[in-house]
Each structure stands twice: as C-alpha cells, then as structure tokens.
C-alpha cells in the first residue's frame, strides 16, 4: 500500500511538472517586439503566471502591470483583451505583443 501511494504521488508530481511546463509554453510572441531576450523571457514568465490564475482581462492587466513595475521598474502599461487594435508610443526596447490562450496582451513602457 505504501509503495502504491509513493507511485501515485510520484505520478502526480510528474503531471504537475508537465502541466507547469505547458503553461510556461503557452505564451507566444506575435507580430513584433523590440524587447531584448532577458526582458522578453521575464515578461513571458509574468504573463504565464498571471494568466494561469486570472482569466478576466481587467484582473490580468492589473496584475501583469503590477508585477512588471515591481520586477522591471515603472512605468509599464498593459492592454489585455480578446480582439482589439492599438497603436502606442513607447520607450525603446520595451514593446511586446503576446498571446496567452485566447487573450492578446500588449506591454510597453512609457513615462516620465
């Protein structure tokens, strides 16, 4: 019985790790980005983390922005939605368009 429980626990941990890896791979870059590789990876991790918890556009945008400002400095702007178009002015090397499941996410940094 103990061996059976250990096997079941081990299998469950493998499934959790596979699910986490799939969630991390959900974000794909679209259209264009001028982000450097390290910043792009950091943003993708934040987007994956937030979108795995928040399916609501407003909550996702607010939490992504809060995390970006906290980890990458302010002032980040985040647009999250299912279908929209936008044109924004931004600081150099701070613009990215991402997709997570059915949400489109635009992030850019602009401020004084």
């Amino acid at each position: 019985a103990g061996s059976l429980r250990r096997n079941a626990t081990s299998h469950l941990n493998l499934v959790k790790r596979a699910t986490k890896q799939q969630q991390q791979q959900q974000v794909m870059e679209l259209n264009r980005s001028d982000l450097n590789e390290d910043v792009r990876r950091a943003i993708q991790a934040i987007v994956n983390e937030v979108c795995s918890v928040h399916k609501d556009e407003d909550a996702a945008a607010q939490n992504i922005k809060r995390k970006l400002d906290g980890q990458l400095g302010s002032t980040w702007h985040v647009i999250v939605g299912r279908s929209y178009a936008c044109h924004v002015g931004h600081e150099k090397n701070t613009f990215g368009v991402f997709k997570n499941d059915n949400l489109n996410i635009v992030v850019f940094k602009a401020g004084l």
Side-chain angles (χ1 to χ4, degrees):
S3 171
L4 184 59
R5 258 184 259 136
R6 278 191 298 276
N7 286 342
T9 301
S10 176
H11 178 69
L12 181 59
N13 288 336
L14 287 173
V15 169
K16 284 181 183 177
R17 269 185 266 158
T19 301
K20 187 173 184 176
Q21 288 172 347
Q22 287 173 342
Q23 287 174 344
Q24 290 174 346
Q25 295 170 357
Q26 283 179 341
V27 171
M28 57 185 214
E29 204 162 326
L30 301 174
N31 294 334
R32 66 182 272 247
S33 166
D34 67 354
L35 301 166
N36 71 45
E37 189 68 21
D38 292 336
V39 172
R40 184 185 58 77
R41 282 190 198 135
I43 293 172
Q44 284 179 319
I46 290 169
V47 169
N48 279 328
E49 177 188 342
V50 170
C51 288
S52 69
V53 175
H54 299 284
K55 301 302 180 191
D56 172 69
E57 291 100 339
D58 290 335
Q62 290 172 7
N63 283 283
I64 291 169
K65 185 214 177 343
R66 183 178 48 78
K67 287 182 178 284
L68 288 174
D69 284 347
Q71 291 181 26
L72 301 175
S74 62
T75 301
W76 286 90
H77 301 274
V78 180
I79 303 167
V80 177
R82 298 183 194 294
S83 177
Y84 61 89
C86 68
H87 179 80
V88 299
H90 59 86
E91 296 175 21
K92 187 176 180 179
N93 299 324
T94 66
F95 177 80
V97 179
F98 301 89
K99 183 170 181 73
N100 186 292
D101 289 334
N102 59 347
L103 293 179
N104 298 300
I105 300 110
V106 174
V107 299
F108 61 99
K109 193 172 186 179
L112 302 173

